[in-house]
Amino acid sequence: MPIKLPSTLPAYSVLRQEGVMVMPEQVAGKQDIRPLRIGLLNLMPKKIQTETQFARLIGASPLQIELTLIRMSEHISKTTSAAHMESFYRSFQEVRDRKFDGLIITGAPIEHLPFDQVTYWEELKQVFDWTQTHVHNTFGVCWGGMAMINYFHGVKKHALAEKAFGCFRHSNLAPASPYLRGFSDDCVIPVSRWTEMRQTEIAAAGGLTTLLGSDEVGPCLVEDAGHRALYIFNHFEYDSDTLKQEYDRDIENGTAIHVPAGYYPGDDPANPPQNRWRSHAHLLYGNWISEVYLTTPFDMDEIGRSSTDLRV
């Protein structure tokens, strides 16, 4: 089954050209099935790029997905046109009475700020609380995952002396986890952040299980079963050239930055980068969608009322 998107959304034509199954809303509405309702709370400045990245991964599922794009209510995007935001996004206040099978909360380029100094932090805390009553399973990505694990468990983010930047090997620490079904013993994941979460503090918090981790860049994927959530601090969703775009931008701006590790063949930026994470990215998000499908109530009114595992 395809992902249901407005035919005028830029991601629609991009994914269709890539061979991803997409379906316009008017056609999807004629199918007598309940699609999985997935929300994407997009906090990234490059909204269209981020929409496409996540739609590509969740759209590879055999299930029909209804994707709702969500924004913070009072925050005005300075890098995406007002027409795009008006046409395709709904504010959190507009959707807070709806229920979702899954919610993805993206990262944001604000990791240098303490959480409580982020302009939309108070509303984001409302979002986190709302996930416990209106969302069956939440996936916090990079800063979004750091913010969630801090809010629910008090785990702190720590500034790094230099940016963790590049493609790093991560170990599969929980091969029996349904989220890692089909994973190799290790995998490569793009990393781009100035902060870290520490494994000792995650372990001390209780109720958290680290599924993927790296000796070089620390914990990556953490399951929070009690809050029906996953937190990932790195970027499986990145396109092949996303790290290159970040590196080229920093070089052009005169920002001190090292060549992203393990990204360019021979560590030479003159060479085109190679994507070595795509297959595991599809596995992870496919497994997440599968777990949402297997455990979410058919009656969406029941979401948030019970933590019962509905798998047969």
Side-chain angles (χ1 to χ4, degrees), residues 24-279:
E25 292 176 309
Q26 61 269 28
V27 175
K30 297 177 181 178
Q31 294 192 325
D32 189 22
I33 60 174
R34 179 171 99 66
L36 283 183
R37 185 181 292 173
I38 305 295
L40 176 65
L41 178 56
N42 191 351
L43 305 176
M44 291 294 286
K46 293 185 176 181
K47 304 241 182 270
I48 294 174
Q49 180 186 60
T50 303
E51 296 155 14
T52 304
Q53 290 172 343
F54 283 106
R56 176 185 295 119
L57 293 173
I58 65 174
S61 162
L63 305 169
Q64 187 186 123
I65 307 294
E66 177 184 303
L67 183 64
T68 300
L69 300 176
I70 306 171
R71 62 174 176 83
M72 303 307 297
S73 300
E74 302 301 326
H75 184 73
I76 305 300
S77 175
K78 299 178 182 178
T79 54
T80 304
S81 73
H84 182 87
M85 300 301 295
E86 178 67 25
S87 296
F88 301 115
Y89 278 78
R90 298 294 174 263
S91 71
F92 170 61
Q93 297 303 326
E94 290 178 294
V95 303
R96 67 181 307 159
D97 291 333
R98 297 174 58 187
K99 293 200 172 185
F100 290 84
D101 300 295
L103 175 71
I104 297 170
I105 301 177
T106 74
I110 49 176
E111 51 182 325
H112 61 289
L113 293 174
F115 291 119
D116 60 5
Q117 290 186 19
V118 174
T119 57
Y120 48 78
W121 181 243
E122 290 304 315
E123 186 178 31
L124 192 58
K125 291 193 296 183
Q126 295 178 35
V127 173
F128 296 157
D129 288 335
W130 171 80
T131 64
Q132 300 306 288
T133 56
H134 286 72
V135 179
H136 179 63
N137 196 295
T138 306
F139 205 150
V141 179
C142 199
W143 183 86
M146 291 181 176
M148 286 189 73
I149 199 172
N150 174 264
Y151 181 70
F152 286 128
H153 295 276
V155 179
K156 297 179 181 179
K157 65 181 172 73
H158 300 273
L160 294 168
E162 63 177 22
K163 188 176 185 179
F165 191 43
C167 295
F168 296 88
R169 300 209 73 86
H170 287 68
S171 297
N172 180 345
L173 304 176
S177 169
Y179 297 111
L180 299 185
R181 189 177 294 114
F183 262 62
S184 305
D185 292 337
D186 67 5
C187 58
V188 171
I189 310 177
V191 179
S192 179
R193 50 181 165 79
W194 285 96
T195 55
E196 67 176 356
M197 312 305 282
R198 294 176 179 169
Q199 179 56 40
T200 53
E201 297 177 5
I202 290 173
L208 300 169
T209 304
T210 301
L211 307 182
L212 294 173
S214 164
D215 291 339
E216 295 176 272
V217 290
C220 169
L221 179 66
V222 177
E223 181 182 4
D224 182 357
H227 292 93
R228 304 187 309 282
L230 285 179
Y231 313 129
I232 188 167
F233 308 131
N234 302 328
H235 291 285
F236 262 137
E237 81 279 3
Y238 269 11
D239 295 325
S240 301
D241 64 347
T242 305
L243 290 178
K244 173 177 165 48
Q245 292 176 23
E246 295 181 7
Y247 177 69
D248 290 347
R249 175 203 63 203
D250 288 347
I251 292 297
E252 183 177 347
N253 293 339
T255 303
I257 188 68
H258 58 76
V259 174
Y263 178 56
Y264 296 106
D267 288 329
D268 184 353
N271 294 322
Q274 293 181 328
N275 189 310
R276 295 183 291 139
W277 61 89
R278 184 184 295 115
S279 58

